[in-house]
Amino acid sequence: MEPLVLGIETSCDETGVGLVRGTTLLADAVASSVEEHARFGGVVPEVASRAHLEAMVPTLRRACEDAGVALADVDAVAVTAGPGLAGALLVGVGAAKALAWALDVPLYGVNHLDAHVAVCALDGGPLPTPCGALLVSGGHTSLLHVVDVASDVRLLGETVDDAAGEAFDKTARLLGLPYPGGPAISAAAADGDPRAIAFPRGLTSARDLERHRFDFSFSGLKTAVARWVRACEASGRPVPVADVAASFQEAVCDVLTRKAVDACRAHGLETLLLGGGVSANGRLRELLAERCAEAGVALRVPRLRLCTDNGAMVAALGAQVVARGLPPSGPGLGGDSSLPVGTVLVAG
């Protein structure tokens, strides 16, 4: 029987505990503190850390109950060691170290971004190698060349300023929509015209593509939306929220999908994985599926529940690391808020 791996995720505002055996998901328990942050219009690190402390034990218990296992059955513990909020990471790492010591099992500190790639193995089985990956979240927007998800992940491009999810949140605030901005923008865009306003596509000019072919920029788009809204208000016209939301969403999805497919073509990658919280966006999924089909690239997207931060993805990556026989992390394991995507496993 394959080892039972417990995964802990506390990089931002969701406390996740997952249990995975091989590529089979047994439990995925999540406690979110998003409502506690909503009144501030964004995540407050101190609030997130406290919420993780309060949610850790109940979430652990719920995961074990859902899986029908006891903690004593766990063969290895995996935990997000970075990137993420420093205080939040330390809560998860501390809990994981205590569990691993008490259970006398190996501990693996893994990369949050690479875990978003590994979670695709829970839907559809083992990952094809090599493959490409587009990760889109509130804090990260990255294009990856995945040679081996457990040991060799290479960065092709990333955002040079705002992440896509961050741009969604800031644009939602401009339009008077609630936090988090992703779902709010998507809902508003459903009644709008995506061609109503010609918002800019960052880093897509011929000159930009020479230096930033696979990089992203959404700061200029956010500024363009702000200027358009202010001009509309100054003229006394009501802001067409639905059209602005739809046009903004289309600009983001256009750039993300265009560059992701281009990266696959340039590197001969036949499969593209989509992950991160923004991958729950319906228009992104639709447009990426269309462009991948046109380019002959197979697209794999995890179920919606596994797109956002969760413990299942950490357990999935931990299971891959254990299967390769890689050495566990040492007792000095800590949290690294700026852990690079190429560091899949942290030695500690």
Side-chain angles (χ1 to χ4, degrees):
M1 186 178 293
E2 293 176 294
L4 177 63
V5 180
L6 183 147
I8 296 176
E9 155 62 23
T10 62
S11 66
C12 192
D13 59 348
E14 285 157 327
T15 307
V17 177
L19 285 159
V20 167
R21 195 184 293 281
T23 57
T24 301
L25 176 61
L26 302 180
D28 175 31
V30 177
S32 177
S33 61
V34 66
E35 292 184 2
E36 298 178 47
H37 303 284
R39 62 193 178 102
F40 300 105
V43 177
V44 180
E46 292 82 0
V47 173
S49 298
R50 173 59 61 181
H52 288 310
L53 281 170
E54 295 173 351
M56 182 59 65
V57 172
T59 309
L60 272 166
R61 287 175 176 162
R62 181 152 51 92
C64 288
E65 290 172 1
D66 291 346
V69 302
L71 280 176
D73 298 322
V74 170
D75 297 304
V77 176
V79 62
T80 294
L85 302 175
L89 290 171
L90 290 177
V91 175
V93 170
K97 290 169 76 170
L99 277 170
W101 180 82
L103 299 173
D104 193 22
V105 297
L107 170 69
Y108 299 89
V110 300
N111 192 297
H112 172 85
L113 300 179
D114 299 325
H116 272 301
V117 177
V119 77
C120 288
L122 303 181
D123 280 337
L127 304 180
T129 53
C131 62
L134 172 62
L135 302 185
V136 195
S137 69
H140 306 278
T141 303
S142 308
L143 267 173
L144 311 176
H145 180 176
V146 182
V147 179
D148 184 336
V149 71
S151 61
D152 191 352
V153 179
R154 305 170 188 179
L155 181 67
L156 298 179
E158 61 185 342
T159 181
V160 299
D161 42 56
D162 291 350
E166 183 181 3
F168 269 94
D169 288 338
K170 291 179 178 178
T171 298
R173 192 178 304 133
L174 284 170
L175 296 176
L177 298 174
Y179 174 87
I185 290 286
S186 181
D191 297 321
D193 180 0
R195 296 166 295 182
I197 309 163
F199 286 132
R201 271 65 167 160
L203 298 184
T204 58
S205 69
R207 183 176 180 180
D208 286 329
L209 290 175
E210 290 180 5
R211 295 179 300 164
H212 298 285
R213 183 175 178 182
F214 303 129
D215 290 324
F216 304 95
S217 173
F218 298 107
S219 180
L221 170 60
K222 175 198 64 182
T223 300
V225 174
R227 288 175 176 169
W228 199 95
V229 169
R230 283 198 295 266
C232 190
E233 293 173 336
S235 68
R237 294 178 291 126
V239 177
V241 173
D243 286 346
V244 174
S247 299
F248 163 80
Q249 178 178 260
E250 192 68 15
V252 173
C253 294
D254 181 27
V255 174
L256 289 172
T257 57
R258 192 189 313 177
K259 293 204 172 198
V261 172
D262 184 33
C264 288
R265 283 172 168 160
H267 292 271
L269 304 173
E270 298 179 352
T271 302
L272 177 68
L273 312 178
L274 177 62
V278 181
S279 65
N281 181 276
R283 179 54 182 159
L284 176 59
R285 288 174 171 240
E286 177 186 47
L287 187 56
L288 189 57
E290 291 176 5
R291 290 182 168 172
C292 281
E294 292 170 359
V297 175
L299 176 63
R300 285 181 60 172
V301 186
R303 72 193 83 160
L304 287 175
R305 180 179 175 84
L306 298 181
C307 290
T308 53
D309 295 347
N310 57 80
M313 69 184 198
V314 179
L317 180 52
Q320 296 289 328
V321 168
V322 170
R324 305 296 195 284
L326 299 177
S329 304
L333 178 68
D336 184 347
S337 60
S338 58
L339 186 68
V341 69
T343 304
V344 180
L345 177 62
V346 181

